Amino acid sequence: MALGKPAYQSSTHFGSVADRAVDGNLSQSTTDNSCFHTQYDTNAYWEVDLGEKVFIDHVTIYTKENFNDFYSELRIRDIELYIGPSRNEYTQYGFYEGALPKGLIHTFNLTNTVLGQWVRLTRSKTVVEHFELCEVEVYAYPSACHYRLDKGRAGVHALNTAPSQSLSIHQCAFICYKTNGCYGATFNEVTHMCEYLTSDTGVETNNSSMLIQLG
């Protein structure tokens, strides 16, 4: 989802701009102009705007393969992953403790999918150095429209209760998105139960009643 999207960083070192990390060039060599590089910054960061809210599943980063291990110890260590619905509402969801080896491809696997639009990578505040990575990939499920069920048409047995409670209306929508044959869902804000209509009921949803529009 990050491929070709607008990217930003705290500063730029010798033309190594933020966009290089989302250009699709997976080379981990500095000679291929495929890596971003900040100045010697306090709280150096890199971030990307995905353009819409999506359900983020995991984030993969690529480190340089041709630098001295000493610089890896200084620069590419204690990486923090943040995700937010906007540029000003970040929450931390990942952390890599210690130095990342050169040429490493590391994936931050999220415990639960996270609804977000902005992804930021930075380091612990104790790290004051240049920041550089070669590629950042954000894997996510696109958001979609989900509709409230018309119980009059669905019938008594058409509703299938999700196996567990949902944390939010967004998670309920996501359950429907990932359920094969789900045509619509409704979220009970009191019980936090998610109910969805599946194709094996042989009935249709009422698409004129929208439950939620994400993005």
Side-chain angles (χ1 to χ4, degrees):
M1 295 297 294
L3 183 63
K5 300 297 173 58
Y8 310 89
Q9 59 193 34
S10 52
S11 63
T12 301
H13 180 72
F14 287 115
S16 298
V17 295
D19 291 347
R20 289 185 176 182
V22 290
D23 61 1
N25 182 354
L26 301 183
S27 171
Q28 294 169 270
S29 173
T30 55
T31 60
D32 291 333
N33 298 322
S34 66
C35 310
F36 78 79
H37 194 147
T38 74
Q39 298 283 5
Y40 189 97
D41 289 343
T42 301
N43 299 325
Y45 68 85
W46 177 95
E47 62 186 359
V48 62
D49 178 7
L50 302 178
E52 61 178 330
K53 292 182 178 67
V54 293
F55 291 106
I56 299 173
D57 183 75
H58 61 278
V59 177
T60 299
I61 61 176
Y62 294 68
T63 66
K64 288 184 177 180
E65 63 183 5
N66 56 337
F67 57 71
N68 189 293
D69 287 330
F70 172 74
Y71 289 107
S72 174
E73 293 288 338
L74 291 177
R75 299 176 181 177
I76 315 303
R77 59 188 172 94
D78 297 340
I79 305 296
E80 298 175 343
L81 169 68
Y82 292 83
I83 298 172
S86 70
R87 201 174 189 178
N88 301 316
E89 299 179 74
Y90 279 118
T91 300
Q92 185 175 346
Y93 287 98
F95 179 65
Y96 186 104
E97 184 176 6
L100 280 75
K102 61 183 179 181
L104 177 72
I105 301 175
H106 174 71
T107 296
F108 292 96
N109 289 302
L110 304 180
T111 303
N112 297 300
T113 53
V114 177
L115 182 69
Q117 178 173 332
W118 285 79
V119 175
R120 172 180 283 204
L121 291 163
T122 184
R123 298 163 302 181
S124 298
K125 296 184 183 301
T126 56
V127 182
V128 182
E129 248 290 354
H130 298 270
F131 186 27
E132 51 189 348
L133 290 171
C134 293
E135 194 74 12
V136 180
E137 298 174 329
V138 179
Y139 292 87
Y141 301 94
S143 58
C145 296
H146 295 269
Y147 300 96
R148 187 180 305 279
L149 299 176
D150 180 347
K151 295 185 180 181
R153 294 177 64 190
V156 177
H157 302 294
L159 289 174
N160 296 308
T161 303
S164 61
Q165 288 187 323
S166 300
L167 298 178
S168 68
I169 195 171
H170 302 92
Q171 282 296 112
C172 182
F174 184 68
I175 289 173
C176 179
Y177 179 80
K178 292 200 70 177
T179 300
N180 290 334
C182 181
Y183 284 94
T186 185
F187 178 70
N188 188 316
E189 295 183 358
V190 177
T191 64
H192 286 261
M193 294 303 295
C194 179
E195 296 179 317
Y196 53 93
L197 179 67
T198 55
S199 58
D200 59 8
T201 60
V203 297
E204 299 178 355
T205 58
N206 177 8
N207 288 348
S208 64
S209 178
M210 186 165 62
L211 171 65
I212 184 171
Q213 169 82 55
L214 303 178

